Amino acid sequence: MNYKYIATVSAALLSVVSMLSSCDLDVVNPTDVSSDTFWKRDADVWNALNTIYADIIPGVEIYNDSYTDDVRCPYPWESNGSTFQVNGLSTSVDMGYNFVAIRRVNNLLTNIGNVPMDEALRERVIAEARVLRAYRYAVMTNDFGKVPLITELKNYDEKMFKRDDAAAVRSFVLKEFQESIPKLPAKYSGGYFNETSRLSRYGAEALLARVALQFKEYAIAEQAAREVMKGGFALHTLTSLPEGTEAEVAQIRQLVDFDALGLDADKFIQGIYNYRSTWDDAFVTSSSPECIIIREYKGGNADYADLTRYTSMRPQQMVDGWSSVVPQQPLIDAYWTADGKAFAAPSKDQRATAYNKLNEDYTEVMESEKKSFRAVANGWIESGKYLGYEYFKEFKNRDPRLYASILFPFHRVSDYDAGPDFVYEWKKGINNESTTGYNFLKMVAKSTSTMLWSAYPASEADFPVFRYAEILLIFAEAHTQNSGYDAEVAAALNQLRDRVGMPHVPSSLSKEAGLELIRNERHIELAGEGSRLNDIKRYGSDYAKKVMNDVEICVPDGTAVITLKWNDRMMLYPIPQTAIDVNPGLVSDQNPGY
């Protein structure tokens, strides 16, 4: 999506297309701009469509994972995740019951026929808008179940809307995708109205595959994934290691027993950077083999800069880091061992004893020798002394994506702006410090700009909204549901394993064992990308209770920070009271349990 063009959208346009608030139709009659004065040129359509893209195609989605066992964000001004994690949502919280984008699509579809423009282009724009509206409705019905299905431009003051059954909404969504996709091109040539990152046929098929999987329409999901797999996409890889990573690579060679495990050290180490560099600005482009859909950010524009990846996700020891959204222990435990086996995590007490001994010893050395943590830690890493501590057994011989994604104590990182001698230190109770003992490394942006509205730095790095890796995982799950685990599934999953230098998955498994393998592979590969809650809900109540009910989240020293609670009402969000207050059609139609 070419969001670099969206900044041209005028305030007048926003007045025209924003006539529906999150409270259904609690709006003010717009008087400054009307369809009589706006819908006159193809540029008006271009502006309106770009606004719809900005509304519906997300950027970084890590906050969605703060509603799961993977991520903690205790700050209510950033996320309601910590409330959701303890089954605390109520109707006073609006979780996105919002029809603004749908109103904007309906506005465009109503008025585009009056705009002088090329007919082929008009047909394509209509297809883009219908796909975007369908995707927004897919998100809405997944979050809230029944929602009003509004496909026409209503009067701004109309308030009576009843919720349509989820089955009807889902049927509409799939039909809109299937009718619109053939009208989209396989790729764009570039330039005005043909910007290369608009929704292509493959981008729309990818969204359909994602939606159909969540709807458990496995035949549709598999077919859509197969169509994308014909599109020439591939997983991103590097031809060599990034410059300045020598110190980090040296530590990886300490942490993995390559010979004993029969692993190719060079492929494994290369795999860490293949994976981690997927989110580097230089590789998130329309020409990337892995990026099916990207969100672009406009330089120097506060509305389109990414605060989350440069500030909220960065550890406080790095420049401008806040450690707002951080990994929780269950995510660290989910990563495979380096040879592809399930990891046997230590108990809370075992981990606490081991960590406290480590912390006590290096703190004593820092104080007695009057050295910084970095100096002590780097000395211990160089000598290998730290590996003598029990605590590091759980970080030895692990999935390369763990080393690429998670900062754990004593983890070296050499290619960020924290300096070539950076070693991660968790300091309990420090302002802006991690509340779990870990930080993310995956997706953390390296590039920065200062936003116009504040002194806070943010990233202008573009973001891969839909990666080819997800298509491989959708195909694997849908095909296993349809036909069982077979060689086709193994071949798809082995592309993910080959990219990171891990052994191949088993060539044959039962359907249930195959689905269990795919679920954890998906958990690891897409960690922090916003899909976890949808996955938990799709896997069902028993799975949700296993991973989210009475699960104690502790920091490494054993202190509990939160105990996750699950109730099946959490399968849907509540309809907010603000919406009920203005829409009589919602009275007595709340979701179960609220």
Side-chain angles (χ1 to χ4, degrees):
M1 282 67 228
N2 271 279
Y3 296 94
K4 291 177 180 177
Y5 297 90
I6 293 173
T8 63
V9 177
S10 67
L13 168 65
L14 295 178
S15 296
V16 159
V17 296
S18 299
M19 294 187 289
L20 185 60
S21 78
S22 61
C23 304
D24 283 348
L25 291 170
D26 182 21
V27 294
V28 176
N29 186 11
T31 58
D32 53 347
V33 179
S34 70
S35 58
D36 292 335
T37 59
F38 182 74
W39 298 101
K40 296 297 183 183
R41 309 167 301 150
D42 60 13
D44 297 335
V45 175
W46 182 85
N47 282 330
L49 183 61
N50 280 354
T51 303
I52 293 166
Y53 269 107
D55 280 347
I56 294 176
I57 298 299
V60 61
E61 291 278 87
I62 193 169
Y63 282 114
N64 285 354
D65 282 350
S66 71
Y67 295 80
T68 74
D69 54 336
D70 278 2
V71 173
R72 177 155 174 77
C73 178
Y75 309 113
W77 52 88
E78 290 189 44
S79 168
N80 292 312
S82 60
T83 301
F84 181 86
Q85 287 175 327
V86 295
N87 184 27
L89 285 189
S90 69
T91 59
S92 65
V93 180
D94 187 344
M95 293 296 296
Y97 193 77
N98 187 309
F99 293 81
V100 171
I102 290 167
R103 171 79 179 192
R104 287 175 174 167
V105 174
N106 292 343
N107 196 18
L108 183 149
L109 295 178
T110 297
N111 288 289
I112 192 172
N114 301 323
V115 179
M117 61 190 301
D118 177 79
E119 288 302 323
L121 176 59
R122 191 194 317 273
E123 181 180 53
R124 194 207 80 201
V125 168
I126 290 171
E128 288 178 76
R130 289 176 66 189
V131 166
L132 290 165
R133 182 179 61 183
Y135 186 65
R136 175 59 185 160
Y137 260 119
V139 172
M140 289 285 288
T141 190
N142 190 56
D143 288 347
F144 297 99
K146 297 188 297 179
V147 290
L149 190 54
I150 306 168
T151 60
E152 297 177 350
L153 187 63
K154 302 294 185 180
N155 291 334
Y156 78 93
D157 56 352
E158 190 168 348
K159 295 182 181 292
M160 183 64 180
F161 289 92
K162 293 184 177 181
R163 295 201 291 165
D164 290 277
D165 287 340
V169 177
R170 292 183 174 200
S171 178
F172 167 80
V173 166
L174 296 175
K175 185 171 182 286
E176 288 289 283
F177 270 107
Q178 291 164 337
E179 290 181 357
S180 301
I181 284 173
K183 299 172 184 177
L184 295 172
K187 62 180 180 180
Y188 293 88
S189 58
Y192 178 64
F193 253 128
N194 286 288
E195 294 86 4
T196 57
S197 52
R198 286 190 177 276
L199 264 182
S200 68
R201 185 183 313 144
Y202 294 117
E205 289 278 15
L207 292 177
L208 173 59
R210 177 187 283 177
V211 166
L213 183 73
Q214 194 60 31
F215 289 176
K216 298 185 180 180
E217 295 283 354
Y218 297 118
I220 296 173
E222 179 179 349
Q223 181 57 38
R226 283 187 184 277
E227 289 301 315
V228 180
M229 291 164 75
K230 298 174 185 176
F233 297 98
L235 299 178
H236 161 77
T237 58
L238 297 172
T239 56
S240 61
L241 296 179
E243 293 184 4
T245 56
E246 293 81 5
E248 188 175 354
V249 168
Q251 185 181 37
I252 298 300
R253 292 187 182 277
Q254 294 175 331
L255 288 169
V256 182
D257 300 317
F258 294 109
D259 291 341
L261 296 174
L263 297 173
D264 185 313
D266 291 338
K267 288 183 179 179
F268 186 99
I269 292 169
Q270 180 79 49
I272 293 171
Y273 296 98
N274 286 343
Y275 183 74
R276 201 166 85 192
S277 65
T278 300
W279 290 271
D280 285 1
D281 194 22
F283 304 115
V284 184
T285 69
S286 300
S287 59
S288 164
E290 184 158 359
C291 295
I292 302 173
I293 301 174
I294 65 175
R295 177 161 185 139
E296 296 179 323
Y297 291 91
K298 180 175 175 61
N301 188 304
D303 291 335
Y304 305 106
D306 184 351
L307 179 69
T308 299
R309 286 192 297 144
Y310 193 80
T311 300
S312 300
M313 289 181 65
R314 289 169 72 84
Q316 63 91 13
Q317 299 97 331
M318 287 187 181
V319 178
D320 299 300
W322 284 358
S323 297
S324 296
V325 280
V326 291
Q328 297 186 145
Q329 190 66 52
L331 174 58
I332 283 77
D333 294 344
Y335 285 90
W336 306 113
T337 58
D339 55 355
K341 296 182 174 60
F343 173 65
S347 69
K348 176 187 75 171
D349 292 340
Q350 289 171 328
R351 178 180 293 114
T353 298
Y355 175 80
N356 289 333
K357 173 60 175 172
L358 168 70
N359 184 65
E360 178 183 330
D361 285 3
Y362 78 71
T363 300
E364 181 180 345
V365 172
M366 288 168 59
E367 293 174 352
S368 64
E369 299 184 7
K370 293 182 172 51
K371 290 183 177 179
S372 68
F373 171 79
R374 284 197 192 187
V376 173
N378 274 300
W380 284 21
I381 292 170
E382 291 296 332
S383 67
K385 179 179 179 178
Y386 74 113
L387 294 175
Y389 285 85
E390 184 76 15
Y391 179 68
F392 292 102
K393 285 187 177 180
E394 65 178 298
F395 301 108
K396 281 186 62 68
N397 299 320
R398 297 297 298 275
D399 188 311
R401 288 167 293 189
L402 183 146
Y403 303 125
S405 303
I406 307 295
L407 283 171
F408 52 86
F410 275 68
H411 187 181
R412 269 180 169 174
V413 179
S414 307
D415 60 337
Y416 281 70
D417 57 6
D421 63 340
F422 177 78
V423 181
Y424 179 65
E425 176 190 15
W426 176 60
K427 295 186 287 188
K428 184 177 179 180
I430 301 297
N431 189 39
N432 288 339
E433 180 57 270
S434 169
T435 54
T436 64
Y438 306 98
N439 261 98
F440 277 104
L441 185 57
K442 171 184 175 179
M443 299 186 293
V444 171
K446 299 177 183 179
S447 63
T448 181
S449 68
T450 299
M451 294 191 293
L452 300 179
W453 55 268
S454 78
Y456 296 132
S459 175
E460 295 171 0
D462 297 336
F463 188 78
V465 174
F466 207 120
R467 300 191 290 122
Y468 185 60
E470 184 179 347
I471 282 294
L472 296 174
L473 290 161
I474 291 172
F475 170 77
E477 182 175 340
H479 183 76
T480 300
Q481 290 283 6
N482 292 328
S483 307
Y485 182 97
D486 59 18
E488 280 194 283
V489 173
L493 297 177
N494 285 337
Q495 291 183 55
L496 301 173
R497 293 292 185 87
D498 287 342
R499 190 247 289 271
V500 296
M502 284 184 71
H504 282 182
V505 299
S507 57
S508 62
L509 290 170
S510 68
K511 179 178 180 179
E512 288 307 313
L515 288 172
E516 184 177 355
L517 171 73
I518 292 163
R519 286 170 181 168
N520 203 54
E521 191 71 22
R522 181 180 173 91
H523 191 182
I524 291 166
E525 177 68 31
L526 301 181
E529 296 181 57
S531 66
R532 179 64 175 160
L533 181 57
N534 284 343
D535 291 346
I536 289 171
K537 294 195 293 185
R538 185 170 71 258
Y539 302 152
S541 176
D542 289 346
Y543 183 89
K545 291 172 182 175
K546 176 183 176 182
V547 302
M548 289 280 288
N549 195 46
D550 291 330
V551 175
E552 190 177 50
I553 303 298
C554 298
V555 293
D557 70 3
T559 305
V561 294
I562 190 172
T563 298
L564 306 182
K565 294 290 184 182
W566 179 267
N567 183 290
D568 281 348
R569 74 172 192 155
M570 296 160 69
M571 290 288 183
L572 296 173
Y573 294 142
I575 305 300
Q577 188 62 45
T578 50
I580 296 172
D581 289 343
V582 298
N583 181 359
L586 298 178
V587 176
S588 302
D589 192 19
Q590 181 58 268
N591 283 330
Y594 298 102

